[in-house]
């Protein structure tokens, strides 16, 4: 069983919204699959993952193209910080794979519990005002700390943007600077995940295309457009210091899924 066209549309919207708003895209995909009577494995179509990831990758590039261009000129030091910040996520992914605990990434119970944890984290951010530091001058150890926060977000229900922005605020970054570094840090993570999935797909030499290319391109476009809008929403929320408002959605989604799992 593979996703239908309308399920792909739903997944693309969830990806575009939850990849950037601090509510966890992976957690919502697991929950959406469960509510649609499927499993996360049935939605785990390699081509679809690749195209949706590339859609959100494109939305970051479109929103932060000026900052990305500066990375290639006067801000080249930041490239090293991004590499350093990406290493913990790579280590976490390899560790889960090596120990056989990667099945947890598709568990609705894990997603529900972790959404509650994300909600608590977001409430904690209401007391974090950040500082006046610039991400371009971030010390390496603090970049590594933000990277460790990103690694924790490999679990479904733990928001990547929420954890990395919270870590950025804790390291005295300005709210907008914390968001910028968080999204720049997402670029190698998303690209790396896409490359890994492409390698996995190539290894399946006897497997033909599973989904229509037009469906895949449509999903990528929806994820990109929705993702771009979501980044803008998050920036405005940060400016108003209301990031913790998303905690209530996390509590609702996580608590609702726990109730659903207990009563079905």
């Amino acid at each position: 069983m593979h996703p239908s066209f309308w399920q792909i549309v739903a997944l693309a919207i969830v990806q575009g919204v939850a990849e950037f708003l601090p509510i966890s895209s992976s957690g919502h995909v697991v929950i959406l699959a469960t509510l649609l009577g499927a499993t996360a494995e049935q939605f785990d179509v390699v081509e679809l993952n690749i195209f949706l990831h590339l859609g959100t990758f494109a939305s970051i590039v479109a929103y932060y193209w000026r900052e990305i261009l500066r990375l290639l000129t006067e801000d080249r030091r930041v490239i090293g910080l991004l590499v350093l910040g990406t290493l913990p996520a790579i280590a976490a992914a390899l560790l889960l794979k090596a120990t056989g605990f990667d099945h947890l990434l598709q568990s609705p119970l894990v997603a529900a519990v972790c959404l509650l944890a994300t909600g608590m984290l977001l409430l904690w951010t209401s007391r974090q005002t950040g500082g006046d530091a610039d991400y371009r001058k971030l010390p390496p150890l603090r970049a590594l700390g933000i990277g460790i926060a990103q690694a924790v977000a490999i679990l479904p229900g733990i928001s990547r943007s929420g954890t990395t922005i919270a870590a950025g605020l804790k390291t005295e970054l300005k709210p907008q600077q914390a968001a910028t570094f968080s999204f720049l840090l997402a670029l190698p993570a998303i690209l790396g995940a896409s490359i890994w999935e492409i390698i996995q797909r190539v290894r399946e030499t006897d497997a033909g295309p599973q989904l229509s290319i037009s469906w895949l391109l449509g999903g990528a476009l929806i994820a990109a457009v929705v993702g771009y809008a979501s980044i803008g929403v998050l920036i405005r929320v940060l400016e108003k210091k209301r990031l913790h408002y998303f905690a209530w959605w996390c509590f609702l989604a996580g608590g609702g899924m726990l109730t659903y799992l207990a009563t079905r």
Side-chain angles (χ1 to χ4, degrees):
M1 172 184 168
H2 298 309
S4 68
F5 172 75
W6 291 111
Q7 287 173 339
I8 289 174
V9 171
L11 286 168
I13 293 173
V14 168
Q15 179 75 16
V17 171
E19 179 70 28
F20 302 117
L21 298 185
I23 57 176
S24 177
S25 61
S26 59
H28 278 72
V29 167
V30 171
I31 287 175
L32 179 62
T34 303
L35 294 179
L36 290 175
T39 64
E41 290 93 338
Q42 290 170 331
F43 279 177
D44 190 22
V45 180
V46 175
E47 294 108 312
L48 181 58
N49 286 340
I50 293 170
F51 275 79
L52 294 186
H53 281 143
L54 293 179
T56 50
F57 184 91
S59 61
I60 298 175
V61 172
Y63 200 96
Y64 286 105
W65 65 270
R66 293 180 182 87
E67 287 80 1
I68 293 171
L69 284 180
R70 285 201 293 268
L71 289 179
L72 306 177
T73 54
E74 67 262 31
D75 292 345
R76 281 177 291 186
R77 175 182 180 273
V78 178
I79 296 177
L81 297 177
L82 296 177
V83 171
L84 186 60
T86 302
L87 293 178
I90 296 174
L94 292 175
L95 180 62
L96 281 177
K97 188 71 174 176
T99 57
F101 284 106
D102 51 336
H103 66 278
L104 295 176
L105 304 182
Q106 298 174 333
S107 166
L109 177 60
V110 171
V113 172
C114 287
L115 275 168
L116 297 180
T118 293
M120 296 298 294
L121 173 68
L122 294 176
L123 287 183
W124 175 81
T125 64
S126 66
R127 301 186 178 185
Q128 306 300 312
T129 59
D132 57 1
D134 189 311
Y135 74 90
R136 292 170 294 185
K137 299 178 181 179
L138 198 62
L141 283 180
R142 293 190 175 184
L144 181 62
I146 296 173
I148 292 172
Q150 177 173 253
V152 174
I154 196 172
L155 292 172
I158 299 295
S159 166
R160 195 208 67 82
S161 63
T163 56
T164 52
I165 289 174
L169 293 175
K170 186 64 177 177
T171 59
E172 301 300 319
L173 288 177
K174 297 176 184 177
Q176 273 199 335
Q177 295 285 311
T180 299
F181 189 75
S182 169
F183 291 131
L184 292 178
L185 189 60
L187 291 175
I190 293 173
L191 189 59
S194 298
I195 292 173
W196 172 257
E197 289 173 336
I198 289 172
I199 292 172
Q200 295 295 100
R201 188 70 182 94
V202 169
R203 287 178 176 174
E204 300 172 3
T205 54
D206 58 339
Q210 300 182 58
L211 296 171
S212 164
I213 188 65
S214 60
W215 288 16
L216 294 171
L217 289 173
L221 179 61
I222 292 170
V225 172
V226 174
Y228 186 93
S230 297
I231 294 173
V233 169
L234 182 61
I235 296 302
R236 287 192 289 273
V237 169
L238 272 172
E239 289 173 346
K240 296 179 180 180
K241 304 185 186 304
R242 295 175 180 172
L243 190 66
H244 59 284
Y245 281 16
F246 291 105
W248 306 112
W249 173 258
C250 292
F251 291 143
L252 177 64
M257 179 49 55
L258 285 178
T259 302
Y260 174 81
L261 292 173
T263 57
R264 70 173 179 174

